[in-house]
Amino acid sequence: MSELVTGDAVVLGLRPAKLPSRALALAIDLVAVGSVFVLVSIGLAIATVTLDEAAVAAVTVATFLLVLVGAPVAVETLSHGRSLGKLACGLRVVRDDGGPIRFRHALVRGAMGMVEILATLGAVAAVASLVSARGRRLGDVFAGTLVVRERVPAGRAAAVPPPPPWLVGRFAGLDLSAVPDDLWLAVRQYLTRMHQLDAVVGRDMSQRLAGELAARTGVPAPVGVPAAAFLASVVHERQARDARRAFGATPAAVPTAHPVPRAHPAPVSPPAPAQAHPAQPVLPERAPEVQGADAAVRAPSSGFVPPA
């Protein structure tokens, strides 16, 4: 495993590239650069037919320097240490402190490469890489760089430790779109190896990474939360979002079950109370009065008949 302990944890968990992988990457780069050089030379030969020999020689030297030296330097500078061959082999050039290389690093490596690779057909570079414990050639020694392997076998990749339970879901609304992949890689590698680092070094790394992450997201770490716990919580949130995108809908798109409203009967107004009337006295029924002949006829018979 890597002997490298860096200030910003860019290459923690990665291994320095050895001679076979570097030789394969160099061969790919030489084939690509050589093809470009041949095509450019043919085009210039046609364009400089009318020039004298001195002008043709000057154009040839300039083409050699620009294509075989300037092009690799420009590619490594713009790609932060990844040429075509290194990209194919999973390699990358970084500084000794783990940071991305700049133009001056690429320029020193390209200038030294003319001597130890082109002039000696790679013999000096091969010997220097074999002697070095981290596979560095002379260009790496003078430039202060190192070629590392970016691809870690899946079986050897350690899992990121989970965040504290009281921080799970606390950063659900954090905007992570501005965080670059390199910073995610650095944070993951720090979290998987933080227990192997010195306490002071690990604390400094976690604070630096937390500061960079807060600057990208625009939200500082909560007061009282350790930097390592903050990093683990944000990484856990990103993994949760990736899992939701890959295996299911986001929580906002999942319909939530709401109770079905029941039909309530229309309210019935209570009947108006009946008005109280004063009680009427109950009188005894009287026989109807019969007058005239009807009365004589209907009078009860007593056995006495009046005289005619």
Side-chain angles (χ1 to χ4, degrees), residues 42-287:
I42 294 174
L44 290 176
I46 298 175
T48 59
V49 175
T50 59
L51 298 179
D52 56 5
E53 295 182 359
V56 172
V59 171
T60 303
V61 172
T63 303
F64 177 84
L65 293 177
L66 288 177
V67 175
L68 297 183
V69 179
V73 169
V75 169
E76 284 195 353
T77 302
L78 297 176
S79 63
H80 300 291
R82 298 183 185 93
S83 63
L84 181 61
K86 291 181 179 64
L87 187 62
C89 297
L91 307 181
R92 181 184 179 185
V93 182
V94 297
R95 300 196 309 260
D96 279 339
D97 62 353
I101 64 172
R102 300 174 182 268
F103 172 73
R104 59 185 180 88
H105 303 97
L107 181 61
V108 173
R109 294 185 79 254
M112 290 300 300
M114 290 184 58
V115 177
E116 60 178 337
I117 296 178
L118 299 179
T120 62
L121 299 179
V124 174
V127 172
S129 181
L130 290 174
V131 172
S132 174
R134 293 188 289 179
R136 305 196 334 173
R137 63 180 178 88
L138 295 181
D140 294 319
V141 175
F142 284 103
T145 58
L146 175 68
V147 180
V148 298
R149 296 181 58 182
E150 286 193 303
R151 299 174 187 169
V152 180
R156 300 182 183 181
V160 176
W166 51 277
L167 283 178
V168 175
R170 184 169 180 177
F171 303 100
L174 203 62
D175 183 12
L176 305 178
S177 58
V179 182
D181 292 338
D182 291 344
L183 184 54
W184 285 123
L185 178 62
V187 173
R188 286 178 56 87
Q189 290 168 351
Y190 163 75
L191 292 174
T192 56
R193 294 185 56 122
M194 61 181 179
H195 298 296
Q196 304 176 15
L197 303 175
D198 180 74
V200 178
V201 175
R203 184 172 62 251
D204 293 342
M205 286 184 182
S206 64
Q207 291 175 354
R208 276 196 297 269
L209 289 173
E212 294 181 16
L213 192 59
R216 294 287 185 173
T217 59
V219 178
V223 179
V225 176
F230 171 69
L231 296 174
S233 302
V234 176
V235 170
H236 179 269
E237 175 61 28
R238 183 175 187 260
Q239 291 176 340
R241 295 182 186 181
D242 292 342
R244 287 195 295 265
R245 282 194 296 266
F247 303 108
T250 58
V254 178
T256 56
H258 296 285
V260 179
R262 295 189 233 176
H264 297 282
V268 179
S269 58
Q275 296 181 356
H277 297 281
Q280 299 292 333
V282 179
L283 300 178
E285 296 183 359
R286 293 184 298 176

